[in-house]
Amino acid sequence: MIHNTIPRWTIVTPVLAWAAIAASSAAGGHALYLALLAALLAGTVFAAVHHAEVVAHKVGEPFGTLILALAVTVIEVALIISFMLGGGEEKLALARDTIFSAIMITCNGILGICLLLGGLRHREQNFQLSGAKAALTVLAAISVLALVLPNYGTSQPGPLLSSSQLAFTGVVSLVLYGAFVFVQTIRHRDYFLVEGSHDEDEHAPPPSNKVAMLSVGALLVCLVAVVTLAKLLSPSIERFVVDAGAPAAVVGIIIASLVLLPEGLAAANAARADKVQTSLNLALGSALASIGLTIPTVAMIFVFMGEPLILGLENKETIFLLLTLVACSLSLSVGRTTILQGIVHLVIFASFVFFAISP
C-alpha cells in the first residue's frame, strides 16, 4: 500500500550507500566491503522503485506503470554503461545480453509467475486484450529489428552494425516505443486500464504533493547511487562469473535480474490481488522500455564514441526470442489466463537460464 509518508528505510538505504561509496578508497577490495556494497546496491534499487511507485500513484494509471518502467530502464542503462565502458572487446555484447535477458525475464519469468499465482488463487483472470496485443506487436517489431536483423546485414559482418545502421536502429526503436507510449497514455488509454478491481491500493488517496516531490528527489539520489555502486562492484561480479566457469552472458542476466526484481515483485502482488492487467502492464511495459529506450541510448553513446556494438543474437538466443514471442501471442490471445500459460512461460524461462549457464 502507498501511504502518505515515506518509509524510513527508503531514505536510510541510499544514505548508507553514499557513505559506503565515500569509504571506497579506504576499504579497497575487502570481501566484507564488497558484500556490503552488493547488499546496499540491491536495497537502493528497491528504494528507487518504491519512490517511483509513490510518484506513479500520484499521477495514476496508466502513467504510473510507465514511470516505473522508465525508472527501471534508467537503472538498467546506467548499469550497462558502467560495465561496458573501458571493458574492451569482450564487453561489446553486454548491452545485447542484458536487453535479451530483460525480455526473457519479463515475458517468461515475471509473466509466468504472475499467471501461475493468479491462476492458483483466482482460477481465471481477465484482461484487456487490445492493450496486450498492442504491446506484443511493438515488442515483436523492436526485438526482431534490433536483435535479429543485425545478423543479416552486409555493410558489417553480423552481428555488428555500421554507425549508420546503429543510428537507424536506435531511431526506429525510439519511434516505435514513443508510438506505444502515445497510445498507452493518450490515444487509447482505456486499453490498459484495470477493470473490476477491488484492491484497496488502487482506490487509496494519492500521496500529498510534498511526499511526491520528496520521492522525486530521493529517486534521483537512488539512481545516481545505483550507478556508482555498480561501477565499484562490476570487477568483482565479472571475476565471480569467470571463476564460476559461466559464460560472459551471465553478467547480463545478473544485471537484468537485479534491476527487474522489485518490479517483478510488484507485478506478482498485483496478480495475487486479481489485477492481472496491472501485471501485464508492468511485465510487457518493462520489456518494451528495456529494449525501446536502452537500444537508442546505447546506440547514441557508441555512435558518438565511434565504437562497434554487437546487437545480433546467436542462433540459440534467436530461437528463445521467437519462441517467447509466439508463446506470449498465444497465451494472451483470448483475454483471459489460467495456470497453464504460467507453467509454459516458466518452463521457457527455466530453459533459458539453464542453457545460458550450460551452453
Side-chain angles (χ1 to χ4, degrees), residues 92-146:
L92 296 180
L94 181 59
R96 177 201 66 184
D97 294 338
T98 304
I99 293 168
F100 174 64
S101 298
I103 294 174
M104 298 302 294
I105 291 170
T106 53
C107 294
N108 288 315
I110 294 176
L111 183 61
I113 290 174
C114 290
L115 299 185
L116 180 62
L117 291 178
L120 288 173
R121 188 165 187 175
H122 304 286
R123 296 183 65 85
E124 285 190 354
Q125 291 183 294
N126 299 320
F127 61 90
Q128 293 271 44
L129 185 59
S130 299
K133 283 186 174 181
L136 287 175
T137 300
V138 177
L139 179 61
I142 300 180
S143 58
V144 172
L145 288 174

Side-chain angles (χ1 to χ4, degrees), residues 17-36:
W18 278 109
I21 291 170
S24 60
S25 58
H30 195 278
L32 290 178
Y33 174 70
L34 294 176
L36 175 62

Side-chain angles (χ1 to χ4, degrees), residues 45 49 72-73 75-76 79 254-263:
V45 170
V49 174
V72 168
T73 303
I75 297 174
E76 180 182 0
L79 291 176
I254 293 174
I255 294 175
S257 300
L258 175 64
V259 171
L260 292 169
L261 178 60
E263 198 163 30

